[in-house]
Amino acid sequence: VIFNPGAVSILNVFIYFLIMIIRISFILFLILNSFSSAQTVTQSAMASVNLVVPLSMTAVEGSLDFGEIILTGSSFTQNINPTSGQRFLISGQPNRGITILYTSIELTNAGNPPAMIERIGTLTFTPNVENDSGVNILNGDTVTLEDKGNVGEYELWVGGSIFIGSNQPHGDYTGTFTITVNY
Amino acid sequence: MKSFTKPAAFIFLTIVFASSLFAQSSVTEGVTVTAKLTRGISVANVGNGTVDFPEIVLAGSATSQSITPGSAEGVNLAITAHPDRDVSISFANASLTNNAWAGPLSAPTGSLTFVPNIEHTGTSSSYGGSPVTLTSGNAYTASNVTGNGMLYLWIGGDINIAADQAHGDYTGSLSITVAYP
C-alpha cells in the first residue's frame, strides 16, 4: 500500500496514521528493549569483507643462465637482456596495486668440487626487471594488475648483469634470485 | 555474560576475515642464476723457447735434419686451461728463410720448410713415459692439477735441406693455436 500525500481522502489519512503508529511502536520497542532488560544487550555493527583474489606468481619461461663465459684476465660485465631472461607471471585481484621487491644477490662457485677450482669466488648478480612493455621496474615500485576478466595479471621480465673481475676464479657459479610481490 | 557474546564474536570474525585476507597477499618466487666461468687458455714457453737446429754443414747433397721432441734443442710448452676440458691444438709447417742474414751480405737467399713434430705428456712436466704425438686440429684433454687444466707439449721437427740449398742463418716462426673446441 502506498500512501499518496497528494491525494487527500479518508482512506489516505487512515493509512498515514496507521504507518505512523507502526513506526512509533517500533522505535519504542527498541528503546524499551535496550533499557529495560539488564540480561540481554544487543549490539549491532556493520560487517564488511572485501574478498581479494590471492596473489600468485610463477616463473613461466626463460632462465637466468649466463652460459659459458671465457675468462680473459681483464674485467668485464656480462648481461642478460630482460627479454632473454626469466619471465614471471603475477596473478591477483584485477586493477589492484602490487609492490614488487627484489635485491641483488651473490653467486658463488663454492658448490664446485674443491679440487676443480683454484679458490672460491663470488659474483654479484644485479637484476634488471622490466614489464612486458619494456618499462623498467625498480625495487619497491608499485604497479597495477591488468584486468584480464576474473583475474588481474602482470608480467615481469628479469635479466641482469654480473661484473667479472680480472682475477675472477673460474668455476660454475650459482645463486637464487627471489622476487616478492605484495598487495 | 551474554553482553560480551556478540561483540566478541564480531571481533573474532573480524580477525578471521582479516587473517584470511592477508594470508596470500604476498608471494615470493625464486629462480636459480647460473654462470659458468671458464678459465682462459694460456700457453707458456717453459723450455729454451727456440727450436734450434745445431750448425749444419752443407755437403752438396740433399739431407734432412731432425730434432726429437723432448730433446734439449726442442721447445716445451705448458698449456693451462679449464680443468678437465678439451682443447683443440692446431699447427702447420713453418717456412724458414735466410733473408735477414743474406740481405746485408747480398748473399743468395733460400727457404726451408720446418715440419713440426709435437708430442704431449699430459700433466707431466717431464718428458718421458709414453708421449702422445699430436695431430693438428685434434682435441686433447687438459687434465686437472689443483684446479687448473694442464697439458705439456714437446716440440721438435724436421727440415729437408736441398743439395743446392743456400747457406746462411735460417729463421722462421712456428705458430700453435690452442682453443676450446
Side-chain angles (χ1 to χ4, degrees), chain A residues 25-170:
Chain A
S25 298
F26 182 70
I27 292 169
L28 287 173
F29 171 77
L30 291 177
I31 293 172
L32 290 173
N33 190 45
S34 61
F35 283 103
S36 64
S37 173
Q39 299 298 317
T40 303
V41 175
T42 301
Q43 293 185 358
S44 61
M46 182 65 72
S48 65
V49 59
N50 183 18
L51 298 180
V52 177
V53 178
L55 274 174
S56 68
M57 179 165 50
T58 308
V60 289
E61 70 173 285
S63 70
L64 290 173
D65 182 6
F66 283 86
E68 183 178 20
I69 300 166
I70 308 291
L71 298 173
T72 62
S74 301
S75 60
F76 60 99
T77 299
Q78 196 78 8
N79 291 296
I80 294 178
N81 190 292
T83 54
S84 302
Q86 178 70 57
R87 183 167 71 97
F88 292 90
L89 179 61
I90 303 164
S91 299
Q93 181 75 7
N95 299 316
R96 184 71 184 263
I98 55 171
T99 303
I100 297 167
L101 302 169
Y102 60 88
T103 61
S104 298
I105 64 161
E106 193 171 81
L107 313 182
T108 177
N109 66 349
N112 292 261
M116 297 296 282
I117 56 175
E118 290 178 297
R119 62 186 192 279
I120 291 174
T122 59
L123 291 170
T124 299
F125 171 72
T126 304
N128 180 15
V129 182
E130 293 182 354
N131 65 14
D132 55 357
S133 299
V135 176
N136 196 233
I137 306 297
L138 302 177
N139 176 46
D141 276 358
T142 297
V143 299
T144 302
L145 290 169
E146 297 167 11
D147 190 350
K148 302 286 186 180
N150 290 330
V151 67
E153 289 185 350
Y154 202 86
E155 286 188 3
L156 291 177
W157 293 84
V158 179
S161 61
I162 51 175
F163 176 80
I164 297 164
S166 58
N167 61 347
Q168 189 75 42
H170 62 262

Side-chain angles (χ1 to χ4, degrees), chain A residues 43 50 54-55 64-69 71 115-116 118 170-183, chain B residues 7 10 21 24-40 82-85 144 147-148 180:
Chain A
Q43 293 185 358
N50 183 18
L55 274 174
L64 290 173
D65 182 6
F66 283 86
E68 183 178 20
I69 300 166
L71 298 173
M116 297 296 282
E118 290 178 297
H170 62 262
D172 296 344
Y173 286 70
T174 61
T176 301
F177 170 75
T178 58
I179 189 164
T180 299
V181 178
N182 297 327
Y183 276 133
Chain B
F10 174 73
L21 268 175
Q24 295 179 355
S25 63
S26 177
V27 289
T28 297
E29 181 74 2
V31 294
T32 300
V33 184
T34 58
K36 182 181 178 62
L37 301 192
T38 299
R39 194 195 190 292
H82 200 76
D84 293 339
R85 279 286 299 268
N144 179 42
N148 287 307
Y180 289 119

Side-chain angles (χ1 to χ4, degrees), chain B residues 82-127:
Chain B
H82 200 76
D84 293 339
R85 279 286 299 268
D86 282 357
V87 291
S88 66
I89 301 173
S90 301
F91 50 90
N93 295 343
S95 179
L96 314 183
T97 71
N98 67 347
N99 294 344
W101 176 87
L105 301 175
S106 298
T109 59
S111 64
L112 292 169
T113 299
F114 173 71
V115 180
N117 177 17
I118 305 177
E119 297 177 347
H120 81 75
T121 55
T123 60
S124 174
S125 59
S126 300
Y127 187 81

